[in-house]
Structure formats: structure tokens, C-alpha cells
Amino acid sequence: MTASTIRDRHDLIAYLHTAMALEHATIPPYLTAYYSIRSTTNSDAAHIIRVVAVEEMLHLTLAANVLNAIGGEPDLTRRGFVPTYPAYLPDGEDDFTVDLRPFSPDAVDTFCKIERPGEAPRDRARLVPEHDLARPSLVTSPTADGMRFYSIGEFYAEIIEGLEEVASHDPGLFRGDPSRQVGPEYFFSGGGTAIPVFDLDSARRALEFIADQGEGFDAGIHDEAGELAHYYRFRQLQLGRYYEVGDHPDRPSGPHLAIDWHEVYPVKVSARLADYPPDSQIAEVARAFNVEYWSFLGLLTEAFTGQPNLLQDAIWHMFRLRDGINRLVRNPLPGSGGLHAAPTFEMPIGRSTPDGPLVVGEAAAVVTP
Amino acid sequence: MTAPAFEEFLSLSVDLTAFEETDLLGTGLAHQYLAKVRDACGEEVVTALLDAYRAARAEATGDDGRPDPRRLDRALRHRVFSDERLGPVARNVIKLWYAGTWYGLPPEWTDCYGARPAAETSTVTAASYQEGLLWRAIAANPPGAKAPGYGSWAQPPRIDPRYRKGQGHDGTG
Amino acid sequence: MYVKFPEGATKRTNPEAAADVVYDAVIVGGGIAGAIIASRLGAAGKSVLILEAGPAEDLTLKGYEGYLDRFYSATSKDNQSPYPVNPNAPMPRGTDARRISPGTPDSSAYLVQSGPFATDTTYTRVLGGTTMHWEAKTPRMLPEDFRTRSLYGVGADWPLTYEDLSPYYNEAEHEIGVSADVEDQSYLGVEFDEGYVFPMKGLPLSYLDRMVAEDVDGMPVELDGVRRELRVRPYPQARNGIPNPGYVPRGAVSTYQVEVGGRCQGNNNCVPLCPVQAKYHAGKTLSLALQSPDVHLVGQAVAYRVHVDEHTRRVTEIEYRRYDKPDSTHFTTERARGRLFVLAANAVENPRLMLASGLPGSNGLVGRNFMDHAYLLAWALLPEVAGTFRGTNCTGGITDLRGGGFRGRQAAFSVDIHNDGWGWARGAPMTDLADLVDAGGRYGESLRQGLVDRVSRQLQLAFMVEVPANPSNRVTVDPAYTDHLGNMRPILTYDLPDYTMRGVAYARQLSKRIFARLGAEDHTRYDPDFWGYAVYGGEGYEIRGGNHLAGTHMMGSDPKTSVVDANQRSWEHSNLYLVGGGSMPTVSTSNVTLTIAALCLRSAAAILAQLDAESAPIRLTSTDTAQARPQEVVL
């Protein structure tokens, strides 16, 4: 194992910003696959993907809680927060990218890779050199240039060790404003509740929860509460059966689940606004969706910076985004040979030069030509 | 079904519903709805409806190539809504988009133009109820689907101000 | 957290093998009453057999979505629309209601109605019972509701007080998961234990409620010399909201892990089916009950006859008909044996079964005193757009006239503000759409404006008026009326007393005052051709049923004037409990389910005590010698 890449609070803040970006980065792929499923079909798959997406939002919230606890400033509108798809994930290999795909075996394969349990082999370091790739990677080390993590689990392990290390010599580490913490009264889903973070112990619990729920870090396929880790939920889609408690990972023994890969809108993979005919009505709808998504990220930023009650509004916003995605994916994308439109999640980042965050009002100006 | 007929059906539907083409396609049901109208009324009636619509558009279109809304309204009333055969069908198309239900045509219509088994009142698919435009028009969700989120009901409805005018009493727009 | 339904639980019990077992308790009905009792007995290690008339399928998310798809596809979206028609366990349906010609019973539907008043009241015969389609409003009864005979000379007194039932109300509110705030629910004498908190915070009032409250709050009403001020108050609701510390909401039921239903999303479809199971249904309690290996369930099992030992008057067995498939009339006759028997099939099916078994009771009260709520609707257009059709079906209402001295003269009521507009009264918004398009010539922009104008301003008030017990309102049976399986069908004889109609007339007057205060256009018009049209004092009203069935095996402290005791135990058959709304001596102005749940929790304790007291092996005398079976194994 290499030496820690986290030396002080500033390093931790950088890591936690990355953690938030990572948790968010999984959401557009899940949403695209979920909403590509035709209404009232593929119930099993739809529920599995939807729940994982909701839980990623919980993880995002937990990462924000930890960042807030140490006095950081969550910001979902900062440059680079939303990746450009397709993007690489750090599983130690460079054999796959994360695309925005319709529900398909390829998409499920990618989801399994995203959530794949990944403790680095003993003879390999947690951090591996980042290949010299043209595409961006979802989880690179924010402090060690050119390095990225073997897996998401390893990434969180690094943060937890870093927190312990920094807390041991910095008694004022948890200096954040407690009123910024998002507790269970603001975020509740069937798959866990928000953990407010005030100290090392609660920070550790929040981060371990993220890692465990994603990959089943060291807990096997079910956790103590009988919850399946995300990786295994997706494995069910590959194996065609639900797991029961006690099952071997390769042999789920629960009820069968039914999948119809054809009851799916054939949305264009990782569509870009440039794929839309410039003056078409559908291009306008796609741009408007991005503006809505951008304002959603702005609302979350406000919720994470002192107004946790706004999370309720953010959920209403999410439901409206759902309706927007549904409308998009049912429209054919003109000139694409029968493919359908899809949200592009192109945020106005990377277009403006200043390093600072964009405010929501500017976003509309940048997105809408 | 022919592609031009579908395009014309969409265009007719835009004028009948005041929802944009992307909204109509966004229901995922436009093809099924055209098929439903054909099954319920027959190919000949659909062709006549689209012919009348095309003629109404042409009649209302000025030198700038765009239909004048007042002239189009009159032309639709004269050529479509007041037509014995086409009027009830056009009204059914509106209700189909708004409710997701095909309503049985009135008996005086079926007496004249024939009753088909598919003409009975029916929902087109389980999804068509959920996609009814009525719910979007009143900024609500179809009961049982497309939930708006916990507590959202305490907020004012998100109804575009232009649809709030005429509050009080009827007045055709 | 989802509720795990044990996979295979509906198939794991072989009815023929079960006939050779003497269970601690046999329960007829897998609705909320049966589920609660089964869960408590199972937790205490008792063996239980539940007989359910509906299809024997495990509760899964997929199965639930089958209900949902049926609802989406149905052209009529009434409260039975999600549930498949099952001729072997038929259900009354609101759309069955017809006007009754004097002297000619309407037998066109399962529930035979001999009138004179027709009702559209319903119940659902599937696993989970009528809680599948209930609205899930859960007000407690007022302390005075337990003593209306003593206080007002009306109805019957309970053998219980509010204080007796209060701890069971607490437990029931936690079992079914109620969202409410104590400060909103403490009124008209309803008190809560010091420090009591509901499992979840109260649901927010709708924008429509708030608009009504702006004008109605503080509105003076003088009745019988007492002045009071009305206010819009939130209703307690058995649907998941924001949990208070320590409570984990129960979400959807399934055999496999699902995560849905943690919180109400405002689907506005509580009746007939919450799409996400944020609303409580008895499947949630039933799933927990079936975790015990000693709780068995046999579905597609329609109770046919209660057999009683002619000497001891104890129930010996329940004979039931188990059909092979919902669409086939082929069945086998089976029997269920136990130490105790619990009829939990609802206030129509319980007396139906007793009467079909020739057990009307020596006082003849089984089936009598049928009660429901009489609903009067009043509808208007508000001066401003209220965004009607959003929220749960009902979030708030006016409850100030639920109690008071006026009840000596006229019925009390509570008032619901309907978030679903004129849907119940006039089929809105589809009827508005049809009218605007067909009669109004609207299309395009003008249609969109018309819809907002016509629908988004709708206000419908529903007055839930109490109906006191009256022995001539009753459920009977007649061999002339049977269903596919040969079960005698229930026959309902029902009329509304003047006491209720005085409340109805007052409600209509009050609605006019409320609309005037709101500046709303009153569009209420009662149709003389309506099946539930009732004339009182020269005015006609449309009266609808509430599906709040009660009274038919009323509890009391005297065996001569009641059917069951305060524990819901039959006075005549010492090992038989008749549970549910049928035990209630008054319906007053509470939706009945919460009180049913509380009564059943109380009975569960009594049943356990009786089982322990009668722990010595019992000898069964066979009533049916032709049906020779191996002798029982004593558990």
C-alpha cells in the first residue's frame, strides 16, 4: 500500500468534493437506463435500478454531510462536477467506460462494474497510475497527480483512514456548522436514512455505509439488516433470480425475475446536444431538460449549504425531471436511424473559463444559446 | 399505416390539443392512437378527417405560409367540427389525447356510418390513462401514477398564467 | 424498509392435512382484523389457521402491480376496479347500486338489497381485505361516542370507555403506521397519554385545504344554543410520512427485497389503490404474522358453515369450500378445527356466515343493527384556482361538529375537503372534459383554459353523517339467493332514520354557508333519479354509502341485548369471537378501521388469556359422523 495521499483538512475537503462528484456521476447512467424502460414493463429491473439511483442520492447526501462536518462547502455546480459521458471508472482496468445507455445487458454489465467489490489485490497498491487517457475518469486522486483508485471501495477506505489520521492531530477537524447536517427527517428512503455527521465516529459510519451499500465492502451479499449491496442487486438482473439470505453469490435461489430487453426505448448512447438537429423542437426540449437539471443541482447545493429542508423541494424537482426524461426518450431523434432522444446531462461546465462555480442564473444563459 | 398520414395526424392533434408535437410523441402513444382511430372508425373516415384538416389549414394559410389562428379556427369549425361524420371523430381524438380513453361514438354516428367492435369505450393501453394530457393541463398527476412528491400538494399549482385567464365563467378563447 | 412476505406462505398449508390439526385458533378472513389477531397469537407461539376467501397468492410487488395495471386499464375507476372479479368470492361493487322498487329486492348483484334505501357500500375479498382500497383516514372515536345512549338517548352504549380503549388506540396507530400530530388531534375530549407521539408527523394540508381555511377558520356556528368556531383540521392518516424518532415506516410487501412505499408521494389514489404501498394495508401485518411457522393460511377458502356442539354450544369446526381456481366452480369441502374460532370477515360476511349456519342467536340480534355512514356531498367552484386534484384523497376537514349536545336531536358529522374535486359526486374531471369538448365545442388553447377554470377550482365537501343502531336495519340470508359456490348471499334491509336525515339537512345548510363565506359558486344539485335519493322535510338529497360497516354483532354488557361481550367474544358460544366493525355499538363520526384495529388488539389479549386458561386438552365431539377423519393431534 502506498503512503496516504491525505495529509490535512484541505486534502480531505478535496477528497470529499470528489466523493460527491463520484456519487453523482453514477446517477445519470442509472436514470437513463431506468427511464428507457417502457411504462408498465420490466417491473423487476425498473425497481432495482430506481432504488439504486435513490440510494446514490443518499450517498451523495452523506458525502455532503461529511464535507460539511469538516467545514467544507458542498457545491454541485462547480466545474467538472458532472462528468462528460462516456467516462472511465477506476477499477484498476481500462476496459470499460460509463456510458448513458438504454436498459440492456451492456448497461447492466456496466452497473455491475461500477458497483463491483474491489479490494485491491495484496500485491497491488490501492492507488494505481492513471493511464494517459483522453477521457476523464470518475475517481482520480485529487491530491496525487496522475493516480486513481482501484475501486470505489478503496477510494472510501482512503478517505476513512485519512479522516482518522487528520483527526488524530487536528482537534478542530469537525468544525462545520451542525445546522447544515441533513438528518433522517429530511432524507428517508427504504434503503437507509441520512446520518448526521458531527465527529469521527459518525463520519466513519456515514462513509462505511456508502461503501457497504454499494459493494458490500466486507459484509458479503447481505448486510446485517438483510439489505443486498448494489452490486448483488444488479447481479440478480444477470442471473435472473433474486437472492435469499445465505445464498452463494453465483447461485441466487429466490423468485425468478422477468426481463424483456425489447420493452425499452432505443435511446442513443451518451447522446450529446450536437446530435440533435439544431433548430428542432426536440433539441429545445433536450436543452430545457439540461437547464432544469442544472437548477436541480443548484437547489441541492442550497440544501447542502444551510437549508436542508429544501431537500423536500428537490424531490419534487426530481419527479418533474422524471417526467422530462420520459418525454425525451419517447421522441425519435431525427436523423439517427431510428434511435430515440435522451437527456445529455451537459452542464455548462467546461465552457466558461473561470474556475469558480457558476450560479444557476448563469447556467440558463450558458446552456440556452 | 403511411408515414405522411401519421405526420398529418400529429399535426392535427397539435391543433386539437394545444400541446406541442414533442409532448404528443412524449406520451409514447401517438402511433397507437392513430391505429385506435382507424380501428374504431375505419380507414376511410381517417382519410376524410385528414383531408378536411389539410383543406382547413390551406384555407387559413396566408401569404406568409402560416395559418392565421382565427381563420384556422373558423375553417376547423366549418370543415371538421360541424361535419356530421368528422365532428364526433375529431372530438373523440381530443378526448383520446386528454383522457387516454377512446369513448364510444354517439349512436347517431354509428347508425349512419357503422359500428365496429373497436368503437366501444376502452382504454388503449394501461399506459394511456397515465399519459392523459388532461392531467398536465391542470398541473396534476393522473391519480395512481406520476406522483409529484411528498408535501408538494401544499404548494400552489404550477399552472401557466395564460391558462388561468377567463377565470369565472365560460368564454371561448 | 420493505415487509417480507414469506415465500410460499399461501401454499405451504395443505387444507386436507390441516383438517387433521386442532389449531389454537381458526380465523376466518385475512383482512386487518384477522391479520392483527393472527400476528399477536403467532407471536405468542400459538398455532393459527387463517381461512381467506380471496385467491391464494403470495403477496409480491409484482402481484400488487397486477392490481395497479388492472386499475390503469379499467374504464371505470371505482373502488373495486383493481381487484379481479371472482365469482367464488364475489364482492359488492359501488357501480351495482340501483334504485329499489318497494317490495322488489334488487338481486342483480352479489349483495341483495331489499331496501327501502339502496346503498353502494362495498368491501373487498382479497388477501388484505378492504384495507386494500380504504382511504386510510384514522380518527379515534370521541369519548362521548362510547356513551351516546346515556348522554343523548340515541343508539347504544359501549361496554367500554375511551379510556379503556386508549392504550389499544396507541398500539393500533403504531401497528398500522399513522401520520398525525397530537396537538391537531386533541379536541372534543380526545386526550392522549402524556408524551405520546404518533409514529410519523402529520401530513401537510393541501393548498386547497389552506385556501378553504383562510375563510372558514373562525366561522361561527351556533347549534343548540352553543356557539363554536369552525376550523380546518388535518386528519390522521395511515400512510407513511416523516417518521418521528424511533419509528421505521413499513413499505411495500413482497417475497423479495424491494424498496418502495417509505413515504407518501401524493399519488392522489388512496382509494382504490396506493401505487407505492405508502398507505397501510393488512398485507403488512399479515406478512409479519406469517413469519411464525405456526401461523398457517389457506386461501380460496370460503367459509360455508359454523358447526356447534349442541350441548356445550361451543364451535367444533368451520366447514369451508375450497375452490380450485377463481374462474372455476369446482371446489372441495374441507373443515378447520380449533380450540377457538374467530370470525373476522367483516360486518356483512360475519353475520351472513352465522345466519347461514342457523345461528341467529337466542336474542335474534345477529345481523341486526347494521350501520354505515351516510355521506352527503356538496360541491362548488372556488373563486380562484386551487389546483384541485393534488395530494392524498383528503388531507383536511372540519371536525368541530363531531360531538356536542345537539346529538340529542340530530346526527353529528365530520366534513372532508376532497382533494379529488367533484370526482365522487360527478365523475370529475373526465365528465368535465367530455362536457367541454362535446357540448362546449372546446379544443386547443380554449380547452386548456376551460379545464383549469372548471376543474382546478373545484371544491367538494363530503359530510360523513352518523347512522345510529336500529334493529330493523339488518343483514339476513335466504336459500333463494346463493352464489356460485352455493353460499347464501347477504341480503341487506336498510333505511335512514330521521335522526340521520336531520343531520343531513343541517349539513346541506351548513355547506351553503361555507360556500357563501368562501365566495364559491354552489353547483350542488341532487338528482331525483339517483339510486340513493332520499327526501326529508320536502328536500331531496343524494346519499352515498361509506363502506364503514358496523353493528351486526354488537357488543354489550348484557347477553340479552348484545351478541358479543367487550372482548368481542360471543355470549352464546364461549370459544367463538366475532370481531370487527360488527361489534361496534355506534359508528358515530369515525372511519371504523382504527377502532376495529384497537378492538382486535384488545381481543387478542383476551384470546390469549382464554387459551391459557383452557390449556387442558379438550375432547371434540364429532358433529358429522359421516365425515370420519383421523382423530386430532393435540398441539
Side-chain angles (χ1 to χ4, degrees):
Chain A
M1 187 174 292
T2 47
S4 174
T5 57
I6 299 173
R7 291 173 307 277
D8 56 21
R9 182 173 151 268
H10 290 287
D11 290 346
L12 275 172
I13 287 175
Y15 262 85
L16 287 161
H17 277 302
T18 304
M20 288 185 65
L22 166 66
E23 295 302 335
H24 170 269
T26 61
I27 293 172
Y30 291 148
L31 293 184
T32 304
Y34 174 57
Y35 291 114
S36 73
I37 293 172
R38 287 177 189 269
S39 167
T40 72
T41 73
N42 275 313
S43 161
D44 292 308
H47 281 291
I48 287 172
I49 301 171
R50 179 185 57 76
V51 170
V52 171
V54 170
E55 289 174 358
E56 296 299 346
M57 288 177 222
L58 174 61
H59 299 175
L60 176 68
T61 304
L62 291 171
N65 273 358
V66 179
L67 177 56
N68 268 321
I70 62 169
E73 192 74 15
D75 182 3
L76 290 80
T77 59
R78 54 193 272 131
R79 279 170 62 81
F81 184 81
V82 180
T84 301
Y85 297 95
Y88 277 96
L89 256 195
D91 72 333
E93 308 292 326
D94 54 5
D95 62 337
F96 80 101
T97 53
V98 177
D99 269 292
L100 303 174
R101 286 183 181 279
F103 176 62
S104 56
D106 282 350
V108 175
D109 190 47
T110 303
F111 299 166
C112 284
K113 285 176 174 159
I114 292 175
E115 307 281 357
R116 179 159 68 188
E119 232 173 313
R122 273 174 222 279
D123 57 340
R124 292 189 63 177
R126 173 176 290 162
L127 269 168
V128 296
E130 186 176 6
H131 291 261
D132 185 20
L133 298 166
R135 295 186 187 282
S137 168
L138 288 191
V139 189
T140 48
S141 165
T143 58
D145 276 349
M147 302 294 271
R148 60 201 184 93
F149 282 90
Y150 182 77
S151 73
I152 295 174
E154 292 287 10
F155 171 75
Y156 281 107
E158 181 81 1
I159 300 180
I160 291 168
E161 282 173 27
L163 271 170
E164 288 164 347
E165 171 62 22
V166 176
S168 71
H169 60 73
D170 178 358
L173 175 61
F174 291 93
R175 67 184 66 170
D177 176 356
S179 72
R180 286 189 171 197
Q181 291 298 313
V182 175
E185 65 275 35
Y186 303 114
F187 194 116
F188 179 89
S189 85
T193 60
I195 302 166
V197 176
F198 306 107
D199 53 18
L200 180 61
D201 183 53
S202 48
R204 204 190 276 128
R205 275 192 292 123
L207 297 177
E208 282 171 355
F209 179 87
I210 301 176
D212 288 358
Q213 193 168 49
E215 311 179 348
F217 200 37
D218 15 72
I221 68 171
H222 287 94
D223 68 8
E224 291 135 15
E227 290 266 319
L228 263 187
H230 290 177
Y231 171 72
Y232 295 104
R233 294 195 208 170
F234 288 132
R235 281 292 282 161
Q236 296 175 136
L237 292 176
Q238 295 181 319
L239 298 169
R241 291 186 80 163
Y242 288 100
Y243 285 106
E244 293 285 316
V245 174
D247 279 348
H248 184 277
D250 293 335
R251 289 186 299 278
S253 68
H256 289 270
L257 38 76
I259 296 173
D260 186 345
W261 301 108
H262 301 292
E263 288 287 356
V264 172
Y265 292 104
V267 303
K268 183 170 171 60
V269 175
S270 297
R272 315 289 298 165
L273 283 175
D275 298 324
Y276 286 75
D279 295 322
S280 60
Q281 220 177 65
I282 192 69
E284 194 52 51
V285 175
R287 272 192 293 271
F289 175 84
N290 285 349
V291 172
E292 278 293 302
Y293 196 80
W294 181 246
S295 100
F296 170 65
L297 295 179
L299 186 60
L300 285 180
T301 301
E302 288 179 62
F304 293 146
T305 52
Q307 299 178 73
N309 57 318
L310 286 179
L311 274 181
Q312 180 170 285
D313 304 50
I315 288 166
W316 309 339
H317 206 124
M318 268 304 299
F319 281 122
R320 293 199 299 273
L321 290 168
R322 164 201 66 199
D323 296 342
I325 302 181
N326 274 328
R327 275 197 288 281
L328 268 176
V329 301
R330 291 163 184 177
N331 270 271
L333 181 60
S336 68
L339 296 178
H340 276 224
T344 72
F345 295 98
E346 288 163 279
M347 297 296 112
I349 28 163
R351 293 214 198 156
S352 56
T353 42
D355 240 10
L358 290 165
V359 296
V360 173
E362 289 172 5
V366 176
V367 175
T368 314
Chain B
M1 83 188 59
T2 57
F6 178 72
E7 293 305 322
E8 282 197 321
F9 175 72
L10 260 189
S11 173
L12 167 72
S13 297
V14 168
D15 282 328
L16 292 184
T17 63
F19 279 89
E20 293 186 351
E21 193 175 302
T22 47
D23 289 322
L24 301 183
L25 291 170
T27 64
L29 294 163
H31 287 282
Q32 279 151 290
Y33 284 172
L34 174 56
K36 180 72 203 179
V37 183
R38 284 179 203 274
D39 288 350
C41 307
E43 180 66 39
E44 200 188 326
V45 170
V46 171
T47 304
L49 177 64
L50 297 180
D51 287 348
Y53 172 65
R54 200 179 316 116
R57 296 263 317 182
E59 185 181 314
T61 300
D63 298 339
D64 63 351
R66 294 178 174 203
D68 171 70
R70 294 182 69 90
R71 285 167 63 193
L72 180 60
D73 173 52
R74 167 167 292 170
L76 287 174
R77 283 187 276 119
H78 291 198
R79 290 177 179 272
V80 178
F81 294 124
S82 59
D83 185 273
E84 277 179 327
R85 185 168 60 144
L86 303 182
V89 176
R91 284 186 279 279
N92 257 24
V93 170
I94 300 172
K95 289 181 283 181
L96 183 57
W97 281 110
Y98 269 79
T101 300
W102 174 263
Y103 288 90
L105 285 159
E108 57 272 21
W109 194 95
T110 46
D111 286 351
C112 283
Y113 308 109
R116 291 156 182 270
E120 304 279 309
T121 298
S122 63
T123 45
V124 177
T125 70
S128 61
Y129 160 74
Q130 303 176 37
E131 297 301 330
L133 299 175
L134 163 65
W135 307 107
R136 283 188 66 192
I138 60 170
N141 60 300
K146 299 189 178 187
Y150 179 88
S152 60
W153 53 81
Q155 303 296 310
R158 301 167 63 88
I159 296 174
D160 191 315
R162 71 186 172 136
Y163 296 118
R164 288 178 181 244
K165 56 189 171 183
Q167 279 195 13
H169 295 281
D170 288 359
T172 45
Chain C
M1 183 64 88
Y2 84 116
V3 183
K4 165 99 178 159
F5 190 92
E7 196 186 357
T10 52
K11 309 272 195 244
R12 73 187 179 198
T13 305
N14 179 318
E16 282 170 29
D20 297 333
V21 174
V22 176
Y23 286 90
D24 287 323
V26 173
I27 298 175
V28 177
I32 185 169
I36 282 181
I37 291 174
S39 71
R40 292 330 192 245
L41 300 191
K46 304 300 179 192
S47 63
V48 176
L49 174 65
I50 301 169
L51 300 177
E52 166 56 45
E57 297 296 334
D58 284 356
L59 297 179
T60 63
L61 186 59
K62 222 177 288 182
Y64 195 89
E65 287 175 346
Y67 288 151
L68 204 52
D69 269 355
R70 194 173 291 101
F71 163 77
Y72 290 144
S73 304
T75 49
S76 163
K77 304 246 187 281
D78 65 286
N79 50 20
Q80 302 283 41
S81 58
Y83 311 102
V85 170
N86 178 356
N88 294 323
M91 308 183 254
R93 194 162 183 172
T95 49
D96 298 338
R98 303 278 180 278
R99 289 215 79 168
I100 298 167
S101 319
T104 314
D106 173 17
S107 61
S108 57
Y110 172 65
L111 181 66
V112 180
Q113 298 206 37
S114 62
F117 184 71
T119 180
D120 62 339
T121 209
T122 65
Y123 49 87
T124 305
R125 294 172 84 188
V126 297
L127 209 49
T130 309
T131 54
M132 296 306 294
H133 90 226
W134 74 315
E135 190 193 322
K137 222 190 251 128
T138 55
R140 294 184 176 198
M141 295 189 77
L142 307 177
E144 66 180 62
D145 294 337
F146 294 83
R147 302 195 298 135
T148 59
R149 168 60 60 183
S150 310
L151 290 171
Y152 306 123
V154 175
D157 283 353
W158 291 55
L160 291 170
T161 63
Y162 175 82
E163 290 70 28
D164 292 333
L165 210 52
S166 180
Y168 299 101
Y169 271 139
N170 296 354
E171 192 180 345
E173 282 158 355
H174 282 75
E175 176 63 40
I176 70 184
V178 172
S179 293
D181 298 316
V182 162
E183 56 270 29
D184 290 328
Q185 304 308 327
S186 306
Y187 63 94
L188 290 174
V190 173
E191 287 176 4
F192 294 87
D193 295 342
E194 183 75 27
Y196 181 76
V197 285
F198 283 90
M200 292 166 282
K201 300 181 198 307
L203 264 68
L205 287 174
S206 68
Y207 184 73
L208 171 66
D209 292 328
R210 289 159 208 255
M211 194 175 265
V212 173
E214 269 183 39
D215 281 312
V216 163
D217 281 7
M219 175 175 167
V221 168
E222 198 172 303
L223 198 53
D224 274 4
V226 180
R227 185 179 187 275
R228 59 200 89 202
E229 288 187 355
L230 304 186
R231 65 162 277 202
V232 172
R233 188 187 296 277
Y235 277 112
Q237 313 215 22
R239 70 193 89 254
N240 291 332
I242 298 172
N244 281 315
Y247 182 81
V248 179
R250 290 189 204 155
V253 175
S254 197
T255 53
Y256 46 88
Q257 183 184 327
V258 295
E259 292 304 344
V260 58
R263 189 173 293 180
C264 169
Q265 304 174 338
N267 272 287
N268 194 14
N269 205 54
C270 318
V271 180
L273 188 66
C274 173
V276 297
Q277 304 185 54
K279 181 187 77 174
Y280 173 84
H281 60 79
K284 298 188 182 189
T285 299
L286 203 56
S287 302
L288 299 180
L290 291 167
Q291 301 294 335
S292 160
D294 300 323
V295 175
H296 295 185
L297 179 117
V298 174
Q300 298 174 189
V302 187
Y304 178 75
R305 193 177 176 90
V306 178
H307 289 271
V308 171
D309 182 293
E310 56 185 282
H311 302 295
T312 64
R313 305 301 290 158
R314 287 174 75 99
V315 174
T316 54
E317 65 180 50
I318 287 176
E319 178 184 345
Y320 65 94
R321 296 186 164 182
R322 184 155 201 279
Y323 54 92
D324 297 349
K325 285 182 263 171
D327 55 1
S328 145
T329 53
H330 187 260
F331 66 87
T332 49
T333 294
E334 305 287 352
R335 59 178 179 158
R337 297 187 296 162
R339 297 168 177 279
L340 298 183
F341 295 83
V342 180
L343 303 190
N346 83 35
V348 171
E349 292 292 323
N350 274 358
R352 185 203 67 72
L353 177 60
M354 290 296 283
L355 295 171
S357 307
L359 300 170
S362 56
N363 56 18
L365 283 178
V366 171
R368 291 191 181 272
N369 295 306
F370 171 84
M371 287 179 277
D372 187 5
H373 282 118
Y375 270 95
L376 180 80
L377 309 181
W379 54 99
L381 285 181
L382 288 163
E384 283 175 61
V385 166
T388 315
F389 283 92
R390 297 178 307 135
T392 67
N393 284 168
C394 174
T395 36
I398 302 165
T399 54
D400 305 284
L401 296 171
R402 290 183 58 198
F406 65 89
R407 293 176 82 181
R409 206 182 70 79
Q410 72 184 50
F413 52 73
S414 63
V415 190
D416 303 342
I417 298 167
H418 264 262
N419 287 329
D420 52 355
W422 303 354
W424 195 8
R426 285 298 178 262
M430 293 307 175
T431 46
D432 298 299
L433 170 69
D435 192 48
L436 285 165
V437 173
D438 292 339
R442 302 282 195 119
Y443 72 96
E445 294 284 323
S446 152
L447 174 60
R448 292 190 63 170
Q449 279 174 24
L451 282 168
V452 171
D453 186 52
R454 249 298 257 279
V455 178
S456 300
R457 297 194 292 135
Q458 290 183 356
L459 168 65
Q460 181 190 272
L461 300 177
F463 294 81
M464 187 175 90
V465 187
E466 68 175 321
V467 177
N470 175 349
S472 56
N473 286 337
R474 62 189 296 203
V475 174
T476 54
V477 294
D478 183 328
Y481 300 113
T482 54
D483 67 14
H484 275 223
L485 285 189
N487 267 304
M488 282 191 249
R489 287 153 57 189
I491 303 167
L492 182 66
T493 305
Y494 187 41
D495 201 4
L496 295 175
D498 285 354
Y499 177 81
T500 296
M501 291 309 296
R502 278 194 288 276
V504 164
Y506 182 79
R508 177 64 185 122
Q509 290 309 311
L510 184 65
S511 72
K512 290 178 181 174
R513 283 189 60 204
I514 291 173
F515 293 157
R517 205 168 154 105
L518 288 162
E521 285 170 37
D522 193 339
H523 283 246
T524 312
R525 196 181 56 79
Y526 300 122
D527 178 359
D529 292 330
F530 183 72
W531 47 263
Y533 190 74
V535 177
Y536 178 78
E539 293 286 325
Y541 305 92
E542 292 178 13
I543 307 289
R544 290 164 168 82
N547 321 317
H548 300 160
L549 314 174
T552 49
H553 44 80
M554 191 188 284
M555 64 164 59
S557 46
D558 182 347
K560 289 196 283 297
T561 57
S562 57
V563 177
V564 298
D565 67 13
N567 292 326
Q568 306 192 80
R569 182 164 83 156
S570 161
W571 290 115
E572 290 189 25
H573 313 286
S574 61
N575 65 340
L576 176 67
Y577 289 75
L578 295 112
V579 302
S583 301
M584 294 168 63
T586 60
V587 281
S588 299
T589 56
S590 288
N591 311 59
V592 293
T593 301
L594 179 77
T595 301
I596 290 173
L599 287 173
C600 287
L601 287 164
R602 194 170 180 282
S603 293
I607 290 168
L608 284 171
Q610 185 178 352
L611 281 172
D612 289 344
E614 296 180 354
S615 58
I618 48 167
R619 223 170 58 81
L620 294 180
T621 49
S622 180
T623 50
D624 228 340
T625 46
Q627 222 180 7
R629 293 199 180 256
Q631 262 314 304
E632 66 277 357
V633 188
V634 175
L635 296 178

